[in-house]
Amino acid sequence: MPVVDFVEQSECLGGAGNVAVNIAALGAHLEMFGVVGARGKNDDEPGVALRACLRAAHIGDKGVLADASRVTTVKTRVIARHQQIVRIDHERCEPLTKATEEILLRGLFAAAKKLDALVLSDYDKGLVNDELADRVLSACHKLKVPVFVKPKTSRLYAYRGARAIVCNAKEAGFFVTRALGDEKSLEEAGRALLAHFGCSAVVITRGEKGLSVFEEGSPKHLTIAATSFEVTYARVGKAGIERGATGRQVFDVTGAGDTVLSVLAAAVAAGASLADAAVLANTAAGVVVGKLGTASVSPQELAHALDDLAR
């Protein structure tokens, strides 16, 4: 079995927290909503660390509730020489109590009145259920706040009315109950998911093949190719990147989908079209896969990467 000598330990936000960090890194102002564990009247130890990380990223945490019936989700990654050896998960995924859910929704509805966009990042930990998703989307629809969703495979119809659903090719294949082996099957899946979710757009991330965007009312889908130059870890997002090789040097795909969701939502909230937002999101994802662990992209890194693509 592998033996790893301990060198250092670091803490960072994962799950929906990683989505929030990605948005905040682009300069947006945001408020986080969710639930952490509690011990007595205080957060549990990981919950305290989570709030510290949120505040360090200048993310509001008033919408994060402490619940004594739960524990704060912690995923511990053991990494050696830039490679993940194992991950240990501590979590509880049972549904929230109705009392906690109502408090969470009241705060979210109050905040929705001043939002430019809302991101619903569902990691299937018990917080998002069909009723909560429906109530959030209905409230945002009335306020004309676009909602961007990263769904989980346990819920197919819970996100009707979303501005965009973001999923990867494997998840899309699960939703339509068949593998997406070619462009034809991908297009059929994208069109089917538009109808299934009743949403305005579906974005399917495709790894080394980039991503595809399907919009309601548009006869053709848009496919954006993955960035095709190689990037070393030390030079990610910097000018003067080597363009001789094809493909990208990938250190870690952790959180790449979160980056797409985050940049897509932030760009549309700032006034970009969905197509332009998808180009930005695809480029940003290409930057973060060259970083180790959950990571975000800064406006400067994104600008450099876009400049390199334009050359």
Side-chain angles (χ1 to χ4, degrees):
M1 60 182 178
V3 177
V4 180
D5 285 334
F6 178 85
V7 176
E8 63 179 343
Q9 176 177 314
S10 61
E11 295 172 334
C12 64
L13 294 165
N18 184 49
V19 177
V21 168
N22 272 267
I23 296 173
L26 295 172
H29 300 284
L30 67 155
E31 183 74 26
M32 189 78 175
F33 291 87
V35 177
V36 296
R39 291 293 176 266
K41 295 182 179 180
N42 301 314
D43 298 341
D44 59 12
E45 187 175 342
V48 172
L50 184 144
R51 287 190 195 274
C53 288
L54 286 173
R55 290 165 183 162
H58 305 290
I59 298 169
D61 68 337
K62 291 181 180 178
V64 178
L65 309 179
D67 187 338
S69 68
R70 302 179 69 84
V71 297
T72 302
T73 295
V74 176
K75 298 186 177 185
T76 305
R77 291 182 171 88
V78 178
I79 296 172
R81 295 182 180 178
H82 298 307
Q83 295 296 321
Q84 181 172 301
I85 306 301
V86 68
R87 193 183 80 190
I88 305 125
D89 292 0
H90 295 82
E91 60 187 2
R92 290 179 188 166
C93 299
E94 61 271 13
L96 297 181
T97 64
K98 282 297 179 183
T100 300
E101 184 178 295
E102 287 300 321
I103 295 171
L104 183 73
L105 283 170
R106 282 201 299 271
L108 202 156
F109 292 156
K113 298 174 184 177
K114 57 183 179 180
L115 297 181
D116 294 307
L118 184 141
V119 177
L120 200 163
S121 181
D122 185 1
Y123 272 81
D124 214 10
K125 304 304 179 188
L127 189 149
V128 180
N129 55 45
D130 288 356
E131 182 183 358
L132 183 140
D134 184 62
R135 291 175 67 182
V136 169
L137 283 160
S138 295
C140 288
H141 178 71
K142 291 177 182 177
L143 295 168
K144 297 183 178 180
V145 175
V147 180
F148 296 81
V149 181
K150 181 70 169 69
K152 273 299 176 182
T153 51
S154 60
R155 278 180 289 281
L156 184 55
Y157 298 103
Y159 311 104
R160 291 190 177 277
R163 177 66 183 90
I165 300 288
V166 180
C167 60
N168 60 38
K170 183 179 179 181
E171 291 164 338
F174 178 89
F175 288 139
V176 298
T177 66
R178 61 181 180 275
L180 309 184
D182 54 27
E183 290 297 319
K184 182 180 178 182
S185 62
L186 180 89
E187 170 138 19
E188 290 173 349
R191 296 296 169 194
L193 291 178
L194 281 172
H196 280 316
F197 285 117
C199 58
S200 299
V202 170
V203 178
I204 301 178
T205 59
R206 305 171 61 190
E208 72 280 2
K209 295 182 180 179
L211 58 81
S212 295
V213 181
F214 300 82
E215 289 198 76
E216 186 181 33
S218 177
K220 294 184 178 180
H221 71 279
L222 170 68
T223 293
I224 303 167
T227 50
S228 60
F229 49 87
E230 185 167 350
V231 181
T232 62
Y233 179 66
R235 296 169 63 188
V236 167
K238 302 297 175 63
I241 291 171
E242 280 298 326
R243 305 190 64 82
T246 59
R248 176 176 290 278
Q249 183 171 346
V250 175
F251 274 81
D252 196 344
V253 298
T254 302
D258 289 343
T259 298
V260 170
L261 176 65
S262 304
V263 177
L264 195 77
V268 171
S273 67
L274 189 69
D276 286 343
V279 171
L280 290 172
N282 184 64
T283 306
V287 173
V288 299
V289 296
K291 299 182 179 183
L292 191 61
T294 52
S296 58
V297 58
S298 69
Q300 293 76 22
E301 288 175 320
L302 185 53
H304 280 310
L306 289 168
D307 286 344
D308 279 298
L309 285 174
R311 291 175 186 171

Short mmCIF file of all heavy atoms in Angstrom, two decimals, residues 24-69:
data_model
loop_
_atom_site.label_atom_id
_atom_site.label_comp_id
_atom_site.label_asym_id
_atom_site.label_seq_id
_atom_site.Cartn_x
_atom_site.Cartn_y
_atom_site.Cartn_z
N ALA A 24 -16.36 34.81 -7.21
CA ALA A 24 -15.74 35.91 -6.47
C ALA A 24 -14.39 36.29 -7.08
O ALA A 24 -14.02 37.47 -7.10
CB ALA A 24 -15.57 35.52 -5.00
N ALA A 25 -13.66 35.30 -7.59
CA ALA A 25 -12.34 35.57 -8.18
C ALA A 25 -12.44 36.47 -9.40
O ALA A 25 -11.47 37.13 -9.77
CB ALA A 25 -11.66 34.25 -8.56
N LEU A 26 -13.62 36.51 -10.02
CA LEU A 26 -13.82 37.37 -11.19
C LEU A 26 -14.25 38.78 -10.80
O LEU A 26 -14.47 39.62 -11.67
CB LEU A 26 -14.87 36.74 -12.11
CG LEU A 26 -14.46 35.40 -12.75
CD1 LEU A 26 -15.65 34.79 -13.47
CD2 LEU A 26 -13.29 35.59 -13.70
N GLY A 27 -14.37 39.03 -9.50
CA GLY A 27 -14.70 40.37 -9.03
C GLY A 27 -16.17 40.60 -8.74
O GLY A 27 -16.57 41.73 -8.44
N ALA A 28 -16.99 39.55 -8.79
CA ALA A 28 -18.42 39.70 -8.51
C ALA A 28 -18.68 39.72 -7.01
O ALA A 28 -17.90 39.17 -6.22
CB ALA A 28 -19.20 38.56 -9.16
N HIS A 29 -19.77 40.35 -6.62
CA HIS A 29 -20.21 40.33 -5.23
C HIS A 29 -21.27 39.25 -5.08
O HIS A 29 -22.19 39.16 -5.89
CB HIS A 29 -20.80 41.69 -4.83
CG HIS A 29 -19.83 42.82 -4.97
ND1 HIS A 29 -18.81 43.03 -4.07
CD2 HIS A 29 -19.71 43.79 -5.92
CE1 HIS A 29 -18.10 44.09 -4.44
NE2 HIS A 29 -18.62 44.55 -5.57
N LEU A 30 -21.14 38.43 -4.05
CA LEU A 30 -22.11 37.35 -3.92
C LEU A 30 -22.37 36.96 -2.47
O LEU A 30 -21.59 37.28 -1.57
CB LEU A 30 -21.66 36.12 -4.71
CG LEU A 30 -20.42 35.36 -4.24
CD1 LEU A 30 -20.50 33.90 -4.70
CD2 LEU A 30 -19.17 35.99 -4.83
N GLU A 31 -23.50 36.29 -2.28
CA GLU A 31 -23.93 35.78 -0.99
C GLU A 31 -24.11 34.28 -1.12
O GLU A 31 -24.68 33.79 -2.09
CB GLU A 31 -25.26 36.43 -0.58
CG GLU A 31 -25.76 36.03 0.80
CD GLU A 31 -24.99 36.67 1.94
OE1 GLU A 31 -24.41 37.76 1.71
OE2 GLU A 31 -24.96 36.10 3.04
N MET A 32 -23.59 33.56 -0.14
CA MET A 32 -23.66 32.10 -0.15
C MET A 32 -24.84 31.63 0.70
O MET A 32 -25.11 32.18 1.76
CB MET A 32 -22.35 31.55 0.43
CG MET A 32 -22.18 30.07 0.30
SD MET A 32 -21.68 29.63 -1.36
CE MET A 32 -21.42 27.89 -1.15
N PHE A 33 -25.53 30.58 0.23
CA PHE A 33 -26.61 29.96 0.99
C PHE A 33 -26.35 28.47 1.08
O PHE A 33 -26.01 27.82 0.09
CB PHE A 33 -27.97 30.22 0.33
CG PHE A 33 -28.40 31.65 0.41
CD1 PHE A 33 -28.00 32.57 -0.56
CD2 PHE A 33 -29.18 32.09 1.47
CE1 PHE A 33 -28.39 33.89 -0.48
CE2 PHE A 33 -29.56 33.43 1.56
CZ PHE A 33 -29.16 34.32 0.59
N GLY A 34 -26.50 27.94 2.28
CA GLY A 34 -26.27 26.52 2.48
C GLY A 34 -26.35 26.18 3.95
O GLY A 34 -26.83 26.98 4.77
N VAL A 35 -25.90 24.99 4.30
CA VAL A 35 -25.99 24.51 5.68
C VAL A 35 -24.68 23.84 6.07
O VAL A 35 -24.13 23.05 5.30
CB VAL A 35 -27.16 23.52 5.85
CG1 VAL A 35 -27.21 22.98 7.28
CG2 VAL A 35 -28.49 24.18 5.50
N VAL A 36 -24.20 24.16 7.27
CA VAL A 36 -23.04 23.47 7.85
C VAL A 36 -23.49 22.76 9.11
O VAL A 36 -24.60 22.97 9.62
CB VAL A 36 -21.89 24.46 8.18
CG1 VAL A 36 -21.35 25.11 6.91
CG2 VAL A 36 -22.35 25.52 9.18
N GLY A 37 -22.62 21.93 9.64
CA GLY A 37 -22.93 21.22 10.88
C GLY A 37 -22.74 22.12 12.09
O GLY A 37 -22.15 23.20 12.00
N ALA A 38 -23.27 21.69 13.20
CA ALA A 38 -23.17 22.48 14.44
C ALA A 38 -22.89 21.57 15.61
O ALA A 38 -23.27 20.40 15.63
CB ALA A 38 -24.46 23.27 14.67
N ARG A 39 -22.21 22.14 16.60
CA ARG A 39 -21.99 21.48 17.89
C ARG A 39 -22.49 22.44 18.96
O ARG A 39 -21.86 23.48 19.20
CB ARG A 39 -20.50 21.15 18.09
CG ARG A 39 -19.99 20.07 17.15
CD ARG A 39 -20.64 18.72 17.45
NE ARG A 39 -20.22 17.70 16.48
CZ ARG A 39 -20.88 17.40 15.39
NH1 ARG A 39 -22.00 18.08 15.09
NH2 ARG A 39 -20.48 16.45 14.58
N GLY A 40 -23.63 22.12 19.54
CA GLY A 40 -24.25 23.05 20.46
C GLY A 40 -24.79 24.25 19.71
O GLY A 40 -25.46 24.11 18.69
N LYS A 41 -24.42 25.44 20.16
CA LYS A 41 -24.90 26.66 19.50
C LYS A 41 -23.92 27.18 18.44
O LYS A 41 -24.20 28.18 17.80
CB LYS A 41 -25.13 27.75 20.56
CG LYS A 41 -26.24 27.42 21.54
CD LYS A 41 -26.46 28.56 22.52
CE LYS A 41 -27.59 28.25 23.50
NZ LYS A 41 -27.81 29.36 24.46
N ASN A 42 -22.81 26.49 18.29
CA ASN A 42 -21.77 26.97 17.37
C ASN A 42 -21.60 26.00 16.19
O ASN A 42 -22.03 24.85 16.24
CB ASN A 42 -20.44 27.11 18.11
CG ASN A 42 -20.55 28.09 19.28
OD1 ASN A 42 -21.10 29.17 19.13
ND2 ASN A 42 -20.02 27.69 20.43
N ASP A 43 -20.92 26.50 15.14
CA ASP A 43 -20.58 25.64 14.02
C ASP A 43 -19.66 24.52 14.49
O ASP A 43 -18.89 24.68 15.44
CB ASP A 43 -19.84 26.43 12.93
CG ASP A 43 -20.69 27.54 12.35
OD1 ASP A 43 -21.93 27.50 12.49
OD2 ASP A 43 -20.11 28.45 11.72
N ASP A 44 -19.72 23.37 13.80
CA ASP A 44 -18.71 22.36 14.08
C ASP A 44 -17.37 22.85 13.54
O ASP A 44 -17.29 23.89 12.86
CB ASP A 44 -19.11 21.00 13.50
CG ASP A 44 -19.31 21.01 11.98
OD1 ASP A 44 -18.94 22.01 11.34
OD2 ASP A 44 -19.85 20.02 11.45
N GLU A 45 -16.30 22.15 13.86
CA GLU A 45 -14.95 22.63 13.52
C GLU A 45 -14.77 22.86 12.01
O GLU A 45 -14.27 23.91 11.60
CB GLU A 45 -13.90 21.66 14.04
CG GLU A 45 -12.46 22.17 13.86
CD GLU A 45 -11.44 21.25 14.50
OE1 GLU A 45 -11.82 20.43 15.35
OE2 GLU A 45 -10.25 21.36 14.14
N PRO A 46 -15.20 21.93 11.14
CA PRO A 46 -15.09 22.20 9.71
C PRO A 46 -15.96 23.37 9.27
O PRO A 46 -15.60 24.09 8.33
CB PRO A 46 -15.56 20.89 9.06
CG PRO A 46 -15.37 19.85 10.10
CD PRO A 46 -15.65 20.54 11.40
N GLY A 47 -17.10 23.57 9.94
CA GLY A 47 -17.96 24.70 9.61
C GLY A 47 -17.28 26.02 9.89
O GLY A 47 -17.43 27.00 9.14
N VAL A 48 -16.53 26.08 10.99
CA VAL A 48 -15.76 27.28 11.33
C VAL A 48 -14.73 27.55 10.24
O VAL A 48 -14.55 28.69 9.79
CB VAL A 48 -15.06 27.12 12.70
CG1 VAL A 48 -14.11 28.29 12.97
CG2 VAL A 48 -16.10 27.02 13.82
N ALA A 49 -14.05 26.49 9.79
CA ALA A 49 -13.05 26.64 8.73
C ALA A 49 -13.70 27.08 7.43
O ALA A 49 -13.15 27.91 6.70
CB ALA A 49 -12.31 25.32 8.55
N LEU A 50 -14.88 26.55 7.15
CA LEU A 50 -15.58 26.91 5.91
C LEU A 50 -15.92 28.40 5.91
O LEU A 50 -15.71 29.10 4.92
CB LEU A 50 -16.84 26.06 5.76
CG LEU A 50 -17.65 26.24 4.48
CD1 LEU A 50 -18.24 24.91 4.04
CD2 LEU A 50 -18.77 27.26 4.65
N ARG A 51 -16.45 28.89 7.03
CA ARG A 51 -16.79 30.32 7.10
C ARG A 51 -15.54 31.18 6.97
O ARG A 51 -15.56 32.25 6.33
CB ARG A 51 -17.50 30.63 8.41
CG ARG A 51 -18.92 30.11 8.49
CD ARG A 51 -19.64 30.67 9.70
NE ARG A 51 -20.85 29.95 9.98
CZ ARG A 51 -22.03 30.20 9.41
NH1 ARG A 51 -22.14 31.18 8.52
NH2 ARG A 51 -23.09 29.49 9.73
N ALA A 52 -14.44 30.74 7.55
CA ALA A 52 -13.19 31.50 7.44
C ALA A 52 -12.75 31.59 5.98
O ALA A 52 -12.30 32.65 5.51
CB ALA A 52 -12.10 30.85 8.29
N CYS A 53 -12.90 30.49 5.25
CA CYS A 53 -12.54 30.49 3.82
C CYS A 53 -13.46 31.40 3.02
O CYS A 53 -13.02 32.11 2.12
CB CYS A 53 -12.60 29.07 3.27
SG CYS A 53 -11.28 27.97 3.84
N LEU A 54 -14.75 31.39 3.35
CA LEU A 54 -15.69 32.27 2.66
C LEU A 54 -15.33 33.74 2.88
O LEU A 54 -15.29 34.53 1.94
CB LEU A 54 -17.12 32.02 3.16
CG LEU A 54 -17.81 30.73 2.69
CD1 LEU A 54 -19.15 30.55 3.41
CD2 LEU A 54 -18.03 30.75 1.18
N ARG A 55 -15.05 34.08 4.11
CA ARG A 55 -14.73 35.48 4.42
C ARG A 55 -13.41 35.90 3.78
O ARG A 55 -13.26 37.04 3.34
CB ARG A 55 -14.70 35.66 5.94
CG ARG A 55 -16.09 35.57 6.57
CD ARG A 55 -16.05 35.39 8.07
NE ARG A 55 -17.39 35.24 8.62
CZ ARG A 55 -17.67 34.74 9.82
NH1 ARG A 55 -16.67 34.33 10.60
NH2 ARG A 55 -18.91 34.63 10.23
N ALA A 56 -12.46 34.97 3.74
CA ALA A 56 -11.17 35.28 3.10
C ALA A 56 -11.36 35.57 1.61
O ALA A 56 -10.60 36.34 1.02
CB ALA A 56 -10.20 34.13 3.30
N ALA A 57 -12.38 34.95 1.02
CA ALA A 57 -12.67 35.16 -0.40
C ALA A 57 -13.66 36.30 -0.61
O ALA A 57 -14.11 36.53 -1.73
CB ALA A 57 -13.22 33.88 -1.02
N HIS A 58 -14.01 37.01 0.48
CA HIS A 58 -14.95 38.13 0.44
C HIS A 58 -16.34 37.69 -0.03
O HIS A 58 -17.00 38.36 -0.82
CB HIS A 58 -14.42 39.27 -0.44
CG HIS A 58 -13.06 39.74 -0.05
ND1 HIS A 58 -12.82 40.44 1.11
CD2 HIS A 58 -11.85 39.58 -0.67
CE1 HIS A 58 -11.52 40.72 1.19
NE2 HIS A 58 -10.92 40.20 0.14
N ILE A 59 -16.76 36.53 0.48
CA ILE A 59 -18.08 35.98 0.16
C ILE A 59 -18.96 36.06 1.40
O ILE A 59 -18.57 35.60 2.48
CB ILE A 59 -17.96 34.51 -0.30
CG1 ILE A 59 -17.10 34.41 -1.57
CG2 ILE A 59 -19.33 33.90 -0.55
CD1 ILE A 59 -16.72 33.00 -1.94
N GLY A 60 -20.15 36.65 1.24
CA GLY A 60 -21.06 36.77 2.38
C GLY A 60 -21.54 35.41 2.86
O GLY A 60 -21.86 34.53 2.05
N ASP A 61 -21.59 35.22 4.19
CA ASP A 61 -21.98 33.92 4.73
C ASP A 61 -23.23 33.98 5.62
O ASP A 61 -23.54 33.03 6.34
CB ASP A 61 -20.83 33.30 5.52
CG ASP A 61 -20.51 34.06 6.80
OD1 ASP A 61 -20.85 35.27 6.89
OD2 ASP A 61 -19.91 33.47 7.72
N LYS A 62 -23.97 35.10 5.55
CA LYS A 62 -25.17 35.21 6.39
C LYS A 62 -26.21 34.16 6.01
O LYS A 62 -27.04 33.78 6.84
CB LYS A 62 -25.77 36.61 6.24
CG LYS A 62 -24.91 37.71 6.86
CD LYS A 62 -25.58 39.08 6.70
CE LYS A 62 -24.72 40.17 7.32
NZ LYS A 62 -25.34 41.52 7.14
N GLY A 63 -26.19 33.71 4.77
CA GLY A 63 -27.15 32.71 4.33
C GLY A 63 -26.74 31.28 4.63
O GLY A 63 -27.46 30.34 4.28
N VAL A 64 -25.59 31.10 5.27
CA VAL A 64 -25.13 29.76 5.63
C VAL A 64 -25.59 29.45 7.05
O VAL A 64 -25.18 30.12 8.00
CB VAL A 64 -23.60 29.65 5.52
CG1 VAL A 64 -23.13 28.26 5.94
CG2 VAL A 64 -23.14 29.95 4.10
N LEU A 65 -26.45 28.46 7.19
CA LEU A 65 -27.03 28.12 8.48
C LEU A 65 -26.28 26.97 9.14
O LEU A 65 -25.71 26.12 8.46
CB LEU A 65 -28.49 27.70 8.29
CG LEU A 65 -29.39 28.65 7.51
CD1 LEU A 65 -30.80 28.06 7.40
CD2 LEU A 65 -29.44 30.03 8.16
N ALA A 66 -26.30 26.95 10.47
CA ALA A 66 -25.72 25.85 11.23
C ALA A 66 -26.84 24.95 11.74
O ALA A 66 -27.84 25.42 12.26
CB ALA A 66 -24.91 26.39 12.41
N ASP A 67 -26.69 23.65 11.52
CA ASP A 67 -27.73 22.68 11.89
C ASP A 67 -27.08 21.56 12.70
O ASP A 67 -26.20 20.85 12.21
CB ASP A 67 -28.36 22.12 10.61
CG ASP A 67 -29.56 21.23 10.88
OD1 ASP A 67 -29.68 20.69 12.00
OD2 ASP A 67 -30.39 21.05 9.97
N ALA A 68 -27.55 21.39 13.94
CA ALA A 68 -26.96 20.40 14.84
C ALA A 68 -27.22 18.97 14.39
O ALA A 68 -26.55 18.04 14.85
CB ALA A 68 -27.49 20.60 16.25
N SER A 69 -28.17 18.77 13.50
CA SER A 69 -28.47 17.41 13.03
C SER A 69 -27.57 16.98 11.87
O SER A 69 -27.67 15.86 11.38
CB SER A 69 -29.94 17.31 12.58
OG SER A 69 -30.17 18.09 11.41
#
